[in-house]
Amino acid sequence: MSQTQSYVRAGELLRALAAPVRIAIVTELAANGERHVHELVERLRVAQPLVSQHLRVLRAAGVVRAERHGREIAYSLVDEHVAHIVADAVTHAAEQRP
């Protein structure tokens, strides 16, 4: 893969993470591992359709994977790289002064 292609893919990844709910989902999965949609809804206090919509974006970007468990689907991070990116971004944002 060329450097330009890497930059394009990195930009796509960052766009996929560019929503507070998606950052919260990644943070939750990084901290607590595999979660079902209803668990994310309860934890994040966000409507189920909205959580599902954000999970679709994260799946399309290759950030999370879905595994069916009976009638439910469990989501987990594909790898820890994105968790580190999100954690660093949140830490950096918390350190910013107005």
Side-chain angles (χ1 to χ4, degrees), residues 31-44:
N32 298 304
E34 184 177 271
R35 290 287 175 257
H36 295 102
V37 173
H38 70 87
E39 294 172 311
L40 292 169
V41 167
E42 290 172 16
R43 180 74 172 133
L44 304 177

Side-chain angles (χ1 to χ4, degrees), residues 1 6 11 21 39 50 54 57 60 67 73 77 89:
M1 177 180 305
S6 294
V21 172
E39 294 172 311
L50 188 59
H54 285 296
V57 172
E67 183 177 324
I73 298 175
L77 294 177

Side-chain angles (χ1 to χ4, degrees), residues 79-97:
D79 63 43
E80 295 300 312
H81 291 107
V82 174
H84 294 293
I85 292 167
V86 169
D88 287 346
V90 170
T91 299
H92 178 74
E95 292 172 349
Q96 296 297 306
R97 296 195 176 121

Side-chain angles (χ1 to χ4, degrees), residues 7-92:
Y7 290 157
V8 169
R9 290 185 70 185
E12 291 168 356
L13 171 63
L14 293 173
R15 274 191 296 282
L17 294 172
V21 172
R22 290 183 214 138
I23 291 170
I25 289 169
V26 170
T27 301
E28 178 66 20
L29 295 175
N32 298 304
E34 184 177 271
R35 290 287 175 257
H36 295 102
V37 173
H38 70 87
E39 294 172 311
L40 292 169
V41 167
E42 290 172 16
R43 180 74 172 133
L44 304 177
R45 298 181 181 175
V46 178
Q48 184 273 325
L50 188 59
V51 170
S52 293
Q53 177 185 356
H54 285 296
L55 285 167
R56 276 191 294 280
V57 172
L58 292 171
R59 278 185 74 188
V63 174
V64 299
R65 72 172 60 90
E67 183 177 324
R68 184 166 290 284
H69 294 170
R71 293 183 59 200
E72 293 188 293
I73 298 175
Y75 292 88
S76 60
L77 294 177
V78 170
D79 63 43
E80 295 300 312
H81 291 107
V82 174
H84 294 293
I85 292 167
V86 169
D88 287 346
V90 170
T91 299
H92 178 74

